[in-house]
Amino acid sequence: MNVVPLFVKESKEMPNNYRLVSLTLVVGTLVESILRDRINCHRERHGLVRNGQHGFVKGRSCLIDLIEFFDEVTRRVDEDGSMDVVYMDFSKTVNKVPHGRLVKEVKAHRIHGNVANRLKCCLFTGNKGE
């Protein structure tokens, strides 16, 4: 592992004023960013993103989705209507879904070549390009 000291504050002579940083994490983060951008471009180019999709879409956030949802709930309540709501938390789903199933989904979305191979490598070995 390639670790370098990064100066944080005050006097450069004091060892406590440095934080150790792994340069391999920077490479891994860069690879993740490139993969995410390539996959998102592919999804947008081939019309694989629904209009209601908010998470993982540039310019849309889960917070905006939540605001739109509560706007709809408020409108219905104001009109003396009712609404049933089921809340499901998928925040840890990726860690629990079998990776083989995720790879099949990637193939189903016509993502092939280097991007698919790097994604498989990340899923099965945890290697993000370090």
Side-chain angles (χ1 to χ4, degrees):
M1 180 161 32
N2 192 1
V3 178
V4 297
L6 177 68
F7 176 70
V8 180
K9 61 181 177 181
E10 299 173 13
S11 171
K12 290 189 176 189
E13 287 77 34
M14 299 284 297
N16 291 343
N17 293 335
Y18 289 84
R19 181 171 47 115
L20 295 178
V21 176
S22 170
L23 296 180
T24 55
L25 294 177
V26 173
V27 173
T29 302
L30 182 62
V31 169
E32 283 180 2
S33 175
I34 291 168
L35 277 172
R36 184 197 64 234
D37 292 347
R38 295 277 307 269
I39 289 170
N40 283 340
C41 284
H42 175 86
R43 290 171 58 219
E44 289 175 13
R45 188 177 326 118
H46 294 285
L48 301 172
V49 179
R50 295 177 289 108
N51 283 338
Q53 173 81 29
H54 280 75
F56 306 107
V57 176
K58 195 173 197 169
R60 299 183 200 167
S61 71
C62 291
L63 179 60
I64 291 172
D65 186 37
L66 192 59
I67 291 169
E68 289 176 1
F69 167 76
F70 279 114
D71 187 49
E72 177 68 15
V73 170
T74 303
R75 185 184 62 76
R76 287 188 184 202
V77 168
D78 287 347
E79 295 172 355
D80 293 326
S82 65
M83 176 182 255
D84 293 327
V85 176
V86 176
Y87 175 77
M88 297 167 48
D89 182 4
F90 293 110
S91 62
K92 306 241 185 268
T93 306
V94 173
N95 296 332
K96 295 181 182 185
V97 172
H99 292 161
R101 189 178 302 164
L102 289 176
V103 170
K104 285 180 184 175
E105 282 296 315
V106 166
K107 287 180 182 176
H109 283 87
R110 299 183 310 258
I111 297 172
H112 305 288
N114 291 335
V115 172
N117 291 336
R118 175 51 73 184
L119 190 59
K120 279 189 253 182
C121 183
C122 290
L123 287 171
F124 290 111
T125 67
N127 183 348
K128 298 176 185 173
E130 288 102 43

